[in-house]
Structures are given as C-alpha cells and as structure tokens.
Amino acid sequence: MDTISTFHKVFVIHLVMLLGLVYFPHSSGLAVTYYFSELNGNDMRSSAEARHRETPWKSIEKFQEIQAELAPGDSILFECGGNYYGGLELNLSGSAQKPIYLGHYGEGEKPVISGLKKLSGWERHKDGVFKCPIDLMSGELKVVLKDRKPQRMGRFPNANSGNGGYLFFDKVISENSIVDAKLPSGQDWTGADLVMRKNQWIIDIQRVSAHQEDTLTFQKVSGYAPSPKFGYFIQNHMATLDEEGEWYYDPAQRQLFMFFGDKHPDDFHIEVSQIDHLLKTTPVARHLIIDGLAFEGANGDGVHISGNTQVKFLNNDVRFSGSNGIFARDVFSLSIAGCSVDHSYNSGIYLHSGNKRVEISSNLVNHTYLMEGMGKSGDNNGFGIFSISDG
C-alpha cells in the first residue's frame, strides 16, 4: 500500500508539473506565439486562446496592451493579407539567445501596419476646392495619397511653370529677409512656407512671418544665407491650390483642403496619414527581430529605432514616409537586410550618430526626396542611404 501510495504521489506531482508546462509556459521558460488577424481576430479572447491560429487577437491596441506579458523567445505573428491600423511602440526585450520575434503567418501579401485612413464626408469649399475634417495625432500633415500616389502641397508657382517652378528674388536685406519686386500684388503670404534653395545642396523650408509689398520676412532654420543666384517658391497656403491633387492642411480648423477642379473627391481614393511613426522603439527595447511586415503611411519616420541593442529589421517594406523611411540612432548591433524602402519624403535609410556594428545589405531604396519642400531643412537630407555613424 505504501508503495502504491508513493507511486500515486509521484504520478500526481508529475501530472501537476506537466499541466504547468501546458498552461504556464513562461514559468518553465518555453516560448509562446501569439496570433493576430484582421479578419478573424477578437480582442476579447484570452491570452491562452490567442496562442492558436484559430482564435487570434485583432488589433494593434491589443498588442500594446499585452506587451508586458511577453518574455524572451516569444513571437507575435500577424496574418498575411491583413491591414492593421496603428503604430507599434516596442517597449519589450528579449535576450541575446532568445530574441523576441515579430513576423507573419499564412499566405498572401505581407501584413500591413498602417497609419493611413481613407477620407470621406467631403464638402465643397469653393470652386474646385473641397474640404474634409481630419483629427491628427500631431499638428503636421505630410502624407496625402490619391489613388495610392503621393500628392504634394499646393505651391506657387506650380512645379511645371517656368524655371522649374522657382521664383528669383532681387536682393537680400538680411539673412531672413528678401525683396522680390515681381511678386504679384494683392496676395499676403504671411503664414505660408517659403521654400528656398540656398546653394546646390540645401533647400530650407521657412515660415513667412511678414509680407509687406515686395518684401518677405521669414524664420531662419539653418546657418545658410539666401542667395539671389538660387530660387524659391511658396507652399502651405490656401492660395496655392490650383492643380488637381494639390492640398493644404489647416491645423486650427483641422481641415484638409484639396483641389479637384471639375471633379469630385469621391471619384478618387484619398488617404492621409494620422500617425507619426509606424514602428518606434523605446530605450528599454533590445534583442528584437522584425521580419516580413509592411509599414505604410507615417507623417514622420516610418521606422524609428533609437537607443537599443541587437535589432534585426529583415525583409520588411517601408513606404510613404513623411520624413525618413528608416531612422536609427544610438543602436548597438543593427541589421537592415532584404527590405524595400519606397517613397520617403526625406531620406530612405538615415543612420544618425551613435550607431555601432551596423549592417545594411540587399535592400531596395526607391523614390527618395522627389518633392522638394516636403523633406527637411538644412544639411544631410535627401539621401537614399545616409550615415554619420562609425562601424
């Protein structure tokens, strides 16, 4: 009887341990995979249910909520073909031997992490110009797509005008003031952006603080002085809207104004970005692999990696970024490989200072800084790949 009792005790102990492995995998060090599906997901499901493809979670908001549950070696997988609205802010850490993995499952197109929203509810503002309300997370709008093609802000003169769409001023009064006697009368450009080429490699975007007759005074944004040898144009003002697709965003009214001429905006698929970054790391994030995802439509950097250790960004697509496609600073051991970086308004891949042991290989960087005045001011902008880091 004692032998049988002992056997039963041992059996029960082993059974409890086995159940612990099944239901409490982190206590035993086993890695866990969580699934997300735009089509079949439900954020009300339990953590245990979300470990199966048949019962996934649904949204980016749920991912942000459960980050604290993740342990080294865990995986987050998004179903292919899905469109997941929101930005991934990574505040999690794996280990050197067990990185945390973000990837995909299923067949079809890469899952899309998107900051884009389709606009509806347009109203006619005046001849050719329609308006639509937008609630931005930040005060600046950069990415507006019409039928999946980036549209630039309205500008004066238009880009297809003479001199490549540039005006040439007569003289420099000071480092932040110019005179152009050829400016049309009757239009006050105060509050608009004056986009000025200072030399062969600098295009500065400067807010007009005062417009008096033929004199424009503007806010200085870099150490480069104006030169009559190079031109300028004006943007970010309602009065510039006169070509199909040109737009102006009024942050006070939270309204997008867009020119359609004799057409109607409902004839097009109009999308705007409402999120600054689609993937952003906090300084505590380390030992991460991001693999096989698509990120599209950020007002700022599409991917912003800063202050981290051992990050692998592999086989991802980054497109329609209002600033840089991929930005990295102060990262130790960074790999960017097999990625497509498309339509970055400033630079494709921008390695700021402090990055160590960086490998960039087998990437396609396309359509970078195609719209002057839509990137950044000052030095070191408008590159396919740029680095001021060593190693």
Side-chain angles (χ1 to χ4, degrees):
M1 291 294 294
D2 290 343
T3 301
I4 295 175
S5 298
T6 301
F7 172 80
H8 284 167
K9 289 179 181 179
V10 172
F11 176 79
V12 170
I13 290 173
H14 279 80
L15 179 60
V16 170
M17 292 175 63
L18 180 61
L19 291 174
L21 289 175
V22 173
Y23 292 103
F24 307 101
H26 282 178
S27 65
S28 64
L30 292 182
V32 173
T33 298
Y34 296 101
Y35 295 91
F36 284 76
S37 170
E38 180 199 20
L39 181 62
N40 301 312
N42 185 336
D43 289 342
M44 299 303 294
R45 288 173 176 146
S46 67
S47 175
E49 289 176 310
R51 297 170 194 170
H52 303 280
R53 290 190 180 199
E54 296 78 14
T55 51
W57 281 320
K58 184 179 183 68
S59 70
I60 296 295
E61 289 81 3
K62 188 64 178 181
F63 167 78
Q64 297 297 146
E65 178 186 322
I66 59 96
Q67 278 197 74
E69 299 180 23
L70 301 179
D74 285 355
S75 296
I76 297 290
L77 301 183
F78 296 91
E79 186 177 27
C80 288
N83 191 296
Y84 305 85
Y85 177 79
L88 298 175
E89 183 171 350
L90 303 185
N91 186 33
L92 69 175
S93 179
S95 65
Q97 294 75 29
K98 296 181 178 181
I100 289 179
Y101 180 87
L102 277 72
H104 63 273
Y105 70 99
E107 302 294 331
E109 297 292 326
K110 294 174 183 175
V112 177
I113 311 300
S114 177
L116 296 171
K117 279 292 184 74
K118 184 180 184 299
L119 294 187
S120 60
W122 292 90
E123 296 180 3
R124 188 180 299 276
H125 176 66
K126 61 179 183 179
D127 288 347
V129 178
F130 290 76
K131 64 181 181 179
C132 188
I134 303 178
D135 188 15
L136 291 181
M137 295 181 66
S138 63
E140 185 178 24
L141 177 65
K142 294 295 290 291
V143 177
V144 178
L145 305 181
K146 179 168 74 74
D147 293 340
R148 302 294 290 174
K149 294 181 179 179
Q151 306 297 300
R152 66 155 299 119
M153 290 182 186
R155 61 178 279 177
F156 171 78
N158 292 319
N160 56 6
S161 302
N163 299 318
Y166 280 81
L167 302 170
F168 291 88
F169 54 90
D170 301 310
K171 64 179 179 179
V172 178
I173 299 178
S174 67
E175 61 183 10
N176 67 330
S177 188
I178 61 172
V179 171
D180 185 355
K182 301 179 295 299
L183 272 176
S185 61
Q187 178 59 59
D188 184 357
W189 293 112
T190 301
D193 287 341
L194 187 152
V195 181
M196 181 180 293
R197 182 179 286 279
K198 302 292 185 62
N199 52 42
Q200 294 286 7
W201 69 93
I202 295 294
I203 298 179
D204 280 346
I205 306 163
Q206 304 151 130
R207 184 60 50 87
V208 177
S209 54
H211 180 188
Q212 296 177 332
E213 297 180 349
D214 58 0
T215 302
L216 293 171
T217 303
F218 50 87
Q219 299 171 1
K220 183 180 177 181
V221 297
S222 75
Y224 294 92
S227 170
K229 179 180 178 181
F230 300 96
Y232 76 97
F233 61 87
I234 294 170
Q235 67 177 18
N236 199 20
H237 194 283
M238 178 75 76
T240 63
L241 305 184
D242 62 0
E243 284 194 339
E244 185 180 308
E246 287 188 326
W247 58 270
Y248 163 68
Y249 175 68
D250 187 329
Q253 299 185 46
R254 294 192 174 186
Q255 295 269 1
L256 174 70
F257 297 86
M258 200 165 180
F259 189 85
F260 291 94
D262 58 358
K263 300 176 183 177
H264 194 280
D266 289 344
D267 297 333
F268 305 93
H269 188 81
I270 308 297
E271 299 170 282
V272 300
S273 175
Q274 297 186 288
I275 292 177
D276 288 340
H277 307 296
L278 299 172
L279 186 145
K280 182 178 181 180
T281 60
T282 66
V284 302
R286 57 192 184 274
H287 305 298
L288 305 174
I289 299 175
I290 301 100
D291 180 17
L293 303 177
F295 301 86
E296 65 173 34
N299 273 321
D301 303 322
V303 174
H304 189 98
I305 304 171
S306 180
N308 313 120
T309 299
Q310 196 175 351
V311 177
K312 294 183 178 181
F313 193 76
L314 312 174
N315 309 309
N316 301 295
D317 299 336
V318 184
R319 50 186 176 257
F320 306 131
S321 302
S323 185
N324 306 296
I326 302 173
F327 174 93
R329 175 167 50 196
D330 298 328
V331 181
F332 179 77
S333 186
L334 170 65
S335 177
I336 302 172
C339 296
S340 169
V341 184
D342 197 25
H343 284 293
S344 305
Y345 288 14
N346 193 60
S347 291
I349 298 175
Y350 191 110
L351 301 182
H352 206 279
S353 58
N355 298 296
K356 305 290 185 183
R357 287 178 53 187
V358 178
E359 177 185 352
I360 301 177
S361 62
S362 303
N363 302 287
L364 176 63
V365 182
N366 230 338
H367 301 108
T368 304
Y369 200 91
L370 293 188
M371 297 181 289
E372 65 269 51
M374 299 289 285
K376 290 189 173 183
S377 301
D379 284 294
N380 304 329
N381 297 300
F383 290 83
I385 300 176
F386 174 83
S387 176
I388 54 175
S389 293
D390 297 326

